[in-house]
Amino acid sequence: MRKKSNDRSSWPDFILIPLTLVISLILYAAPSRIPTGPHVSLLLPLITLFIWSVRTPTLTPPWLIFLTGVAQDLLSGGPMGVWALAYLVAFSIGRPRQIEGGIEFMTVLGRFLLVGAIALGVAALAGAAAVGAPTGITALITDGVLTIILFPVFAWVFARRKERTSFF
Amino acid sequence: MALFGPSKREGDDGVRFSRTFFIILIGISAALIAFDRPAHRAPMLSTFRAMFDDVATPALEIGAKPWRGLRNIGPWWKRQWELAQENRALHEELIELRAWRDLALTLRDRVQLYEEALNLQTPALGTRISAWTVAEQRGPFVRARLIGIGYEDGIREGYPVVNIYGLVGRTVDVGMTSSRVLMLTDLNSRVSVMADRSNARALLVGDNSDFPRLEYLGREPDLIEGDRIVSSGDDNVLPRGLPIGEAVRDRDGHWRVRLYSEAAPIDLVWVWPYEPTPAPEANPPVPLVSEDAGEAPSQGQAG
C-alpha cells in the first residue's frame, strides 16, 4: 500500500514556483514610480515565497529562498546578501510547518506578519552594515505595511479553490 | 539529515529543512554583505553583477513595458484635453525657444573664438545615446536604475546620464547590453557642483532621500533659495554645466537640491559619452633642457 504523504506538491508546482518567483522579481524591479506621488515597493518576492512555503513546503527549500534573495539584491542594484540573509533568517524562524489540512486565515496572516517583520528588521540591519550608514527605516516600514495590507489578496488568488474555506 | 533538499522528520506532520544548510546559507549571505560593499566592490563582483544584469535585462524590458503603457491610461476626453493644452504650451515655448536658439548659436561661436584665442582644450561631449530604463530601485539601501544599453552601444563607466530636465546620475557596472545608473540621490553619489549665479562651489552628496545635500559650502555661502545648481566639473568626473536642480533649505536650515530630473518619470534617458581629462602621469618623460643645447633627449629615452 502506498504510504500516505502529507506533501501536497504536484508537477505543475515545479514550473509554477520558479515562474511566479521570476515574475514577482521582475515586477518588484520594474520602474513603476509616479513622479509626483510617493514611491513604495511591494515586496512581491516575499509574498510569493511565503505562499509557496505554505502550499508546498517541500518545494521551497533554503537554497531557493537564498537564490530569490540574491536575485532581488542583484536586480535592485543593492549590496548582495542583504535580502538573502533577511529571507533566510525570517523563514528559518517564522515559516509555517503545519501542512496537513487547512490553515486558518488568521494563522496565515499572523505567520506572514512574523516573517515580514523579521525580514524587514534583518534587512534594515544588514543594509546599514553593507552601506556603512543608517538606512531609511521609514521606506522599509512603508513597503512592509503595504505588503502586509495587500498580502490577503495574493493569498486568496493563490489559495487552492476547494480549500478556500480554510484558506490554504 | 539531508544537506541538500527538504527533509521530513518521522512522526512530524510538518516539513523541516536541514538546520545546518540554513546556517551555511546564512553564513554565505553574511560573507556577501561583507565583501560586496558598494564603496569598495571587488572587480570580480562588479563583473558578475554586470553579467547578471545582461541576462536579466530582456525580461525586465518586457516587465517595464506595461508600466510605461499604464501611465497613458485614463479617460479619453481627459487625455485629449491634456494633449491639446500641452500642444498649445509647446507651441508657445517653441516660439520663445527660437529666439534662444539664435542666441545660443551666437554665443557658441563667440565661445569658440575665445577658446581658440586662449588655446583652451575643453573636454568635448560626444553624441548622446538614448536608452530606456528597465528597472528601478529606490529602496533604503540603493537608488539605482538599470538601462537597456551597455558596452556594445558605446557606454563606459562614469558617463553622465540625463533626462529631458537634467542630470540623473552616472553609469556604473557596465555590462555588454545593460548598465547600472547610480542616481544622484544614492548614498554613494558625490558630485562637484556650483551655483550658476554666484559660482559658489559645493559637493552634492546623496543620502537616499529625494533631496541630496549640499556640503563643503563654506561658512557664508553665496547661495539663495532657487539658485540653479549645475555640475562644476571640478571633480573631473562629470562635465561642467550640466543642469542638476535648484537650491532649497530643509527644516534644519541645511542646503539641499531639488532635482530637475525628478520632475518627470525617468523612463527615457540619454547617456553622454564623456572622457574626463586624464590624470598626469606619476613620472612623465620630461624633456631635459640644458643651457647649451636647445633640446635634449627625454628621460624615457635617456640611457
Side-chain angles (χ1 to χ4, degrees), chain A residues 46 50 65 83-97 111-123, chain B residues 22 26:
Chain A
L46 176 67
F50 184 84
I65 298 168
W83 282 111
L85 183 72
Y87 289 165
L88 280 168
V89 172
F91 277 87
S92 66
I93 296 169
R95 71 186 292 160
R97 293 192 172 88
R111 278 286 175 173
F112 185 73
L113 274 169
L114 178 67
V115 168
I118 295 168
L120 291 172
V122 174
Chain B
F22 254 115
I26 285 171

Side-chain angles (χ1 to χ4, degrees), chain A residues 6-7 28-33 35 57-58 62 66 74-76 78 80-81 85 95 97 99 123 127 129 135-136 140, chain B residues 6 8 13-14 16-17 25-26 29 32-33 36-37 49 52 67 71 134-138 140-142 180 262 265:
Chain A
N6 56 7
D7 180 8
Y28 172 77
S32 56
R33 194 178 77 94
T58 54
F66 173 77
L74 286 168
L75 285 175
S76 65
M80 254 198 290
L85 183 72
R95 71 186 292 160
R97 293 192 172 88
I99 56 169
T135 52
L140 262 182
Chain B
K8 291 180 186 176
D13 60 351
R16 289 177 190 278
F17 294 103
L25 289 175
I26 285 171
S29 306
L32 282 173
I33 292 167
D36 189 38
R37 288 168 183 269
R49 282 176 162 276
F52 182 89
W67 291 111
R71 292 211 177 92
V134 295
E136 170 199 34
Q137 188 56 41
R138 294 165 60 90
F141 319 126
V142 69
R180 183 76 59 180
E262 293 285 307

Side-chain angles (χ1 to χ4, degrees), chain B residues 35-47:
Chain B
F35 290 108
D36 189 38
R37 288 168 183 269
H40 313 285
R41 184 166 287 151
M44 195 179 72
L45 285 172
S46 290
T47 310

Side-chain angles (χ1 to χ4, degrees), chain B residues 283-289 295-303:
Chain B
N283 295 303
V286 181
L288 297 170
V289 181
E295 283 185 17
S298 65
Q299 278 181 357
Q301 293 167 333

Side-chain angles (χ1 to χ4, degrees), chain A residues 7-24 44-61 64-65 68 91 95-96 98-99 108 112 151 154-155 157-160 168, chain B residues 15 17:
Chain A
D7 180 8
R8 301 188 301 185
S9 62
S10 55
W11 67 268
D13 293 341
F14 283 100
I15 302 161
L16 278 173
I17 290 173
L19 188 70
T20 49
L21 278 172
V22 167
I23 290 170
S24 66
L44 273 174
L46 176 67
I47 293 175
T48 313
L49 269 179
F50 184 84
I51 288 171
W52 282 115
S53 75
V54 176
R55 276 182 64 121
T56 54
T58 54
L59 294 182
T60 48
L64 187 71
I65 298 168
T68 307
F91 277 87
R95 71 186 292 160
Q98 182 197 348
I99 56 169
V108 173
F112 185 73
F151 169 74
F154 290 93
V157 169
F158 282 95
R160 288 171 199 272
F168 276 106
Chain B
V15 176
F17 294 103

